Structures are given as structure tokens and as C-alpha cells.
Amino acid sequence: MKSSVIIFPGSNCDRDMDVALKKFGFKNTMVWHNDDKLPKSDLIVLPGGFSYGDYLRCGSIAGKSKIINSVIDFAKTGGLVLGICNGFQILTETGLLPGVLLQNKNIEFICKNVFVKINDKNNKYFNKINKEILELHIAHNEGNYFCSDDELKEIENNNQIAAYYCDEKGNCDNDSNPNGALKNIAGILNKEKNILGMMPHPERMIDKYLSGEDGSIFFKNLLKNLKI
Amino acid sequence: MKIKVVVTLKNGVLDPQGKAIQQTLNGMGYSNVQGVRQGKFFDLEIAENDEAKAKAVAEEMCKKLLANLVIEDFKIL
């Protein structure tokens, strides 16, 4: 399976993502934001970081970069696009995913491990994943998911909420909500379920000695689903 | 021609920075400050002499980039 990771000026999780994808068997290519064509890929990843210094709004400038038109075309023809953290912010700014990531409720940069509960498995990312609650890492200042009441109704009706923040046991409440996100939303899918944006970083949890292995579960499962 | 644009958060959208500024102002003794909403101001220099045309292009830019209409409103001054 072939993947591509887009590098924007200010991306800083691009190489971590490259390491993770290769570790689980993807043939990965790094793509510069100023290119206009994507290599043939089964998966495009928009990595975490601070693209364009978070100028204007997080992800807004990257959302208009040269490569992004090819990413949008790829996504609209059903190609898998995964946005992590800043990548999630970019996906909302392009309009590929509904809503927006606001500044964290407590105005603090949050960097810690959290638990997320997978909500929808009817997609290539989480189909048949053998763990419901994953321990992943978050590191962001703008991760507070927000959308209008009408949009919320629509994404709930379409089962577009990919994952919720929760505690170790899977309880989703204020105490397990790190950033004030609406309904504890940690990740969102598009209606067609080929685009996933999420704030937590699976690529930071791929080594049992350094962190944890719940990210490994995510990548292994994704690869398995892509091969079917 | 110079066009000025103000972008503000919509009513109901959480503005933690505005809240922190308000609390600070209150703490400094300005106890009559009941609310602060923080926004952005843009000074656009547009190569266009027709004011209506310049404002129209500014509006288009607001919708496409300068404001995120999910959470923000814009005003062309």
C-alpha cells in the first residue's frame, strides 16, 4: 500500500508519521506543499504541526496551498485522507470536514495522553478494530471541536463522529474532556467516510518502550482494511 | 485603495481570550466591563479605484479566506 505525507512549512509530525507508516508496511512518500501533483497513493496524510505558523487561523493558509487542490480532488473521488491534529484543522478549513477547531477552553496548550472511544467502525479506519478504547497522545492549543446545532444534528445522524474523548473505562463526561470539545468529539469523518480528522496522534503511540502501542493497533488495522 | 475589514466571532461562540481579557480588566479595577469579544482587523491595499468593486472583491476574500463563516462574521468598513 502506498501513502503520501504532505509537508507544509511548520509541519512537525511529518517524519513521525513517515516512521509510523513505514513501520507497519506502507510505502511512504513525502510530498512538498508547493508541488501540484500527488504521487499515486492509497492514503494521503496531513500531519500535525503548525503549518504556516498558525497564521490567520490554524490550517487556514495550508487549506489554500498549491498541493491542497490535488488533495481535495483525491478526497472527492473517494481516496482516503487522514488529518491528524493540524491536519484535522486543515481539513475543516478546506471544508472537507464540517465544523472548526477552536482554542482550548482553558487557554492552555495541552500535551498529554488521553483515552478515546471509537464511535463509528463503518469505515476503513476503524472497521474490525479489536480495541474500543485507545490511549493516544494529544498536543494542541486549538482542539476544541465546534459546529452549529444543525451541523451537529447532521453529523450525528450520519454517524460521522469517529471518536470521543473518554476516561480509561470509556465514560465520556466533562472530566474526560481535555479541551472543551463539543460532545467530547475527538475525531470526525465526512459523510462518505473516506476522510478522517482527529486531534489525537496515533503516530506517537507505536512503541511499547517509549509510549504505548494503541497507535500500532490503529495503523495495523488501517493497513489490513486497505488490503481487503 | 484601502479597504478595512473587521472579523469577529459570532454570538455564542466561546471566546476564552476575550473572557481572560475581561477578567484582567475587571481585576485592574474596571469593574464596569461586562464583556469582551476579541476580533481581527485587516487593512487591505487593493489596486482598484472603484470603491464598489474593491469592496466586492474584499467580500469575496472574506468568504474564502479572511473569515471562517462557521464561527466568524465580517464587516467591511
Side-chain angles (χ1 to χ4, degrees):
Chain A
M1 287 291 137
K2 289 180 181 159
S3 59
S4 297
V5 173
I6 316 284
I7 313 170
F8 300 97
S11 294
N12 66 6
C13 302
D14 45 325
R15 279 174 290 177
D16 296 36
M17 186 55 81
D18 180 58
V19 168
L21 291 165
K22 285 176 179 163
K23 179 171 183 180
F24 301 106
F26 282 92
K27 279 195 178 144
N28 188 51
T29 310
M30 305 303 276
V31 180
W32 186 233
H33 71 111
N34 229 7
D35 292 350
D36 49 14
K37 275 198 187 128
L38 289 167
K40 198 174 176 324
S41 315
D42 302 291
L43 171 73
I44 303 289
V45 183
L46 305 180
F50 302 85
S51 59
Y52 301 88
D54 278 350
Y55 292 172
L56 190 61
R57 295 178 306 276
C58 301
S60 64
I61 310 282
K64 305 290 177 205
S65 62
K66 210 166 171 185
I67 193 70
I68 219 72
N69 292 325
S70 300
V71 175
I72 293 172
D73 289 344
F74 178 81
K76 291 209 163 146
T77 53
L80 290 200
V81 178
L82 170 64
I84 301 296
C85 196
N86 188 224
F88 185 14
Q89 294 163 343
I90 295 168
L91 287 171
T92 61
E93 281 286 345
T94 58
L96 286 172
L97 290 177
V100 64
L101 283 312
L102 294 174
Q103 189 177 34
N104 298 338
K105 196 175 176 181
N106 52 12
I107 339 184
E108 274 174 355
F109 186 95
I110 306 168
C111 182
K112 64 174 188 180
N113 285 3
V114 294
F115 292 95
V116 297
K117 187 158 81 178
I118 309 305
N119 179 52
D120 182 67
K121 289 192 181 182
N122 191 19
N123 57 71
K124 292 269 187 200
Y125 300 96
F126 298 115
N127 184 29
K128 293 186 179 158
I129 197 161
N130 59 13
K131 206 171 174 190
E132 305 288 323
I133 297 160
L134 302 178
E135 184 179 11
L136 298 175
H137 191 79
I138 55 168
H140 60 243
N141 194 52
E142 284 85 6
N144 177 356
Y145 184 80
F146 177 83
C147 64
S148 68
D149 291 346
D150 290 345
E151 276 177 318
L152 180 64
K153 247 181 240 160
E154 202 181 319
I155 62 174
E156 282 182 328
N157 289 343
N158 297 330
N159 258 333
Q160 284 174 252
I161 298 171
Y164 297 104
Y165 296 110
C166 64
D167 63 18
E168 206 170 346
K169 290 177 182 150
N171 301 310
C172 300
D173 50 25
N174 274 341
D175 292 339
S176 55
N177 188 339
N179 52 27
L182 190 67
K183 299 256 175 179
N184 281 41
I185 291 174
I188 287 279
L189 293 146
N190 65 331
K191 221 171 178 176
E192 291 75 22
K193 310 280 177 84
N194 58 310
I195 308 170
L196 169 65
M198 60 179 186
M199 292 313 294
H201 292 265
E203 79 278 13
R204 293 191 183 183
M205 304 297 260
I206 57 163
D207 187 305
K208 68 177 170 184
Y209 297 110
L210 289 177
S211 46
E213 286 206 291
D214 284 2
S216 310
I217 296 171
F218 171 79
F219 286 107
K220 282 180 190 166
N221 189 65
L222 172 59
L223 192 67
K224 208 162 74 185
N225 287 335
L226 278 171
K227 284 182 174 168
I228 295 168
Chain B
M1 146 165 287
K2 269 197 194 301
I3 299 288
K4 296 177 194 304
V5 173
V6 172
V7 174
T8 50
L9 281 173
K10 286 186 170 158
N11 284 337
V13 175
L14 190 74
D15 180 11
Q17 289 190 81
K19 192 94 192 146
I21 294 164
Q22 182 203 333
Q23 284 167 357
T24 305
L25 288 170
N26 293 154
M28 288 163 74
Y30 299 103
S31 53
N32 51 357
V33 178
Q34 292 176 329
V36 176
R37 304 284 285 168
Q38 190 178 267
K40 293 181 186 129
F41 175 78
F42 300 91
D43 212 343
L44 304 170
E45 184 73 48
I46 300 175
E48 176 60 69
N49 294 325
D50 184 331
E51 192 183 336
K53 276 188 191 161
K55 284 190 170 172
V57 77
E59 186 175 336
E60 196 180 310
M61 292 188 289
C62 285
K63 288 177 179 166
K64 285 186 179 170
L65 181 69
L66 299 181
N68 181 331
L69 300 184
V70 179
I71 45 164
E72 292 169 327
D73 290 322
F74 65 89
K75 214 183 269 176
I76 295 165
L77 304 178

